[in-house]
Amino acid sequence: MSSSEPLEFGHDDRKRIYEYVERHGAVEPDTVQEDLSIDPSGFRHHVAILKRDGRLEREDGTLRVTMAAGAEEEYVSDDLEFHIRPARQEDLTGIVGAIRQVAEEKTYIEAESVADEIDHQETLLRHNEIESRMFFVATVEDEVVGWVHLHAPELEKLSHTAELTVGVLDEYQGYGIGSHLLSRGLEWAGANGYERVYQSVPSSNEEAIAFLEAHDWETEAVREDHYKLNGHYADEVMMALEL
């Protein structure tokens, strides 16, 4: 299912089932059926149609929103083996931890806001009439060591744009993980019809700015003294990439 594909269901109960699963991230079918008070035979039928139409999928006994994002990829760099794959609901805790560690070390305000939001909602991936949110993760021995996140408002005037954050734990930098994550995120954005991707970072985060510039991002605007970090003002550097 494409992120930009209109959400049409053809039946109120079908829409209710989708919205319940989308809001919870991953949930057992019996829980959905009982909480929505839909008769079992009707529920099974609607789930079958949602699966047929690429709206929902069943994995490890739970229903989840389908986000077509490709397969897991394996890389080896300087004897370090890591994997890049679409995130799953079960990655939420690892992603929140990784984002907060990177944000604390590198002063990454936008990413910190993302961590707060997904931690509060307890839902990782979103695709509804208001927004789409997608994550890819880098893992080493099944532990999250990096992420790339894309968020897009489902508004017609902004439907061609998405916001991105990306980061890798300090211990795993220098292996090309960040570049692979960024590439995977941009590939997904392009495949889903987005034309421009944005990211804002404090001017004090010179490492992040240099990383993006090395990948052909350009500074579109600077808001002076937008952040106040540890009692000191810092500019907001607003960067963008045309896909």
Side-chain angles (χ1 to χ4, degrees):
M1 178 183 68
S2 170
S3 175
S4 58
E5 184 179 340
L7 292 174
E8 298 178 358
F9 299 97
H11 195 285
D12 286 345
D13 282 346
R14 213 168 291 158
K15 181 179 180 181
R16 291 171 63 215
I17 292 168
Y18 176 87
E19 289 176 345
Y20 186 100
V21 174
E22 193 272 344
R23 191 167 59 250
H24 290 81
V27 61
E28 295 183 358
D30 288 348
T31 299
V32 184
Q33 185 262 317
E34 292 172 3
D35 285 357
L36 296 181
S37 299
I38 300 174
D39 70 271
S41 61
F43 177 78
R44 288 193 295 271
H45 169 72
H46 291 314
V47 169
I49 299 303
L50 288 166
K51 291 168 65 178
R52 181 203 69 186
D53 293 344
R55 299 292 183 191
L56 296 182
E57 60 187 14
R58 186 164 182 166
E59 182 180 338
D60 298 329
T62 62
L63 292 173
R64 305 154 187 259
V65 171
T66 301
M67 299 285 280
E72 180 170 334
E73 299 172 343
E74 178 180 326
Y75 300 92
V76 178
S77 175
D78 293 335
D79 296 326
L80 176 73
E81 180 181 308
F82 61 92
H83 296 77
I84 307 288
R85 61 168 172 77
R88 301 187 287 262
Q89 177 65 18
E90 292 81 4
D91 295 317
L92 192 148
T93 300
I95 290 174
V96 169
I99 292 176
R100 287 186 169 155
Q101 183 174 334
V102 170
E104 181 179 0
E105 294 170 345
K106 302 296 183 183
T107 316
Y108 200 169
I109 289 86
E110 296 298 321
E112 191 174 0
S113 298
V114 171
D116 290 342
E117 182 175 3
I118 63 175
D119 197 21
H120 173 73
Q121 293 181 357
E122 297 183 343
T123 304
L124 193 60
L125 309 180
R126 303 301 303 264
H127 180 49
N128 54 50
E129 295 176 347
I130 299 175
E131 64 176 342
S132 290
R133 184 168 68 209
M134 185 65 197
F135 278 89
F136 293 89
V137 292
T139 63
V140 174
E141 298 181 357
D142 295 326
E143 295 294 333
V144 175
V145 302
W147 84 93
V148 62
H149 150 263
L150 295 109
H151 176 264
E154 294 298 323
L155 299 172
E156 184 177 355
K157 293 179 180 179
L158 295 174
S159 61
H160 63 296
T161 69
E163 296 179 3
L164 178 147
T165 69
V166 60
V168 178
L169 298 181
D170 263 1
E171 296 86 345
Y172 294 96
Q173 293 187 7
Y175 295 97
I177 296 176
S179 295
H180 284 296
L181 282 167
L182 183 61
S183 176
R184 187 69 183 267
L186 295 175
E187 179 184 353
W188 180 87
N192 281 274
Y194 299 109
E195 301 171 15
R196 295 180 67 81
V197 181
Y198 295 91
Q199 183 170 177
S200 293
V201 295
S203 55
S204 57
N205 193 342
E206 296 176 355
E207 184 177 336
I209 294 171
F211 172 78
L212 293 172
E213 289 178 340
H215 290 82
D216 299 323
W217 289 60
E218 296 182 352
T219 298
E220 286 208 330
V222 175
R223 291 202 286 184
E224 294 184 1
D225 297 341
H226 182 65
Y227 301 114
K228 193 172 185 179
L229 310 172
N230 300 319
H232 300 283
Y233 290 103
D235 298 341
E236 178 188 29
V237 181
M238 305 169 72
M239 306 189 71
L241 180 71
E242 193 97 28
L243 298 180

